Amino acid sequence: MNKLYIQNLGLIITEQCNLNCRHCLRGKCSNKVMSNEVIEATLSQVSAIGVLHLEGGEPTLAIPTIEKILDYIIKNNILVDKVSTVINGTRYESRLIELYGYIQEYINRYNDETSEIAVSFDKYHIEEIKRLNLLKDYLNNTSKYADTIYYAGYYEICNKLFCEGNAVNLDKKITVPLKPMKTFVTYVGKNNTFDKTNGLCNIGPVVTINVDGTITESDASYNNQNTIYNYGNVLNESIIECLLKNKMKVVKPNKFENKTNKQIIKYYTYKH
Ligand code: SF4
């Protein structure tokens, strides 16, 4: 099977969350966690990933799932430029920092990219945190994450990122404008290469594998965040077939041509 290079791959690792923000992208929270079958069915089709977005729900509630994903990537030599996760800041999980240590050690060592943990800081998020009386925890945890990374010896910088965008609530089918949306970003990695001008809201098309294996694809750029395409399910269809069926143009990128440290046999990306 020809394997896929995906510039932005989102994995909804869990739908669990301890908050209930009114703008939530995920609609109703549930107890669902991504299964081993979905993880393997997805990653076995992929040879390289530009940015791997580990998304929730709240990712700190699914640490074993993150472990399984990283384990599969490292064991199967999948090239990943960087890993990005957004957490809600109300829970401190030292294991998450350790896992970013592995990313630094085994994934980012092959490139100049910078993986990141971002703590949500938009207006509706803070509103929910205040409603639950968690603001003190949120502020403590945010600086604790940054401090731990710093003392663990990883390159660290805390920053404020301002960007604009829309959040889409899939259950309620409504769009909530986030203006401005602020996100604290803690960088983990050697270099501070995060593109502040583009930020998190202008990353282009994202192929997302939902917690149950369904495949969706959206354009996460400023103007097109609402456009979400639904494809098949990774448990019984190949991602590349789904993309082709939906008239994606499959192209071979030259991005990894000079990478000699790992073998890529076949890799593809796509564009609209
Ligand atoms: S923290 Fe994120 S996943 Fe949880 S309810 Fe808020 S927006 Fe949704």
Side-chain angles (χ1 to χ4, degrees), residues 17 19-21 23-24 29 57 88 125:
C17 189
L19 302 186
N20 187 15
C21 306
H23 68 311
C24 184
C29 291
N88 71 26
H125 186 73

Side-chain angles (χ1 to χ4, degrees), residues 162-186:
F162 294 84
C163 50
E164 297 181 358
N166 294 318
V168 185
N169 183 313
L170 294 177
D171 269 5
K172 297 182 201 143
K173 307 260 188 301
I174 53 162
T175 301
V176 186
L178 299 173
K179 275 189 178 184
M181 180 166 85
K182 299 181 203 166
T183 308
F184 281 110
V185 177
T186 299

Side-chain angles (χ1 to χ4, degrees), residues 30 93 113 181 200 202:
S30 80
E93 276 287 348
E113 295 292 334
M181 180 166 85
L200 295 172
N202 200 12

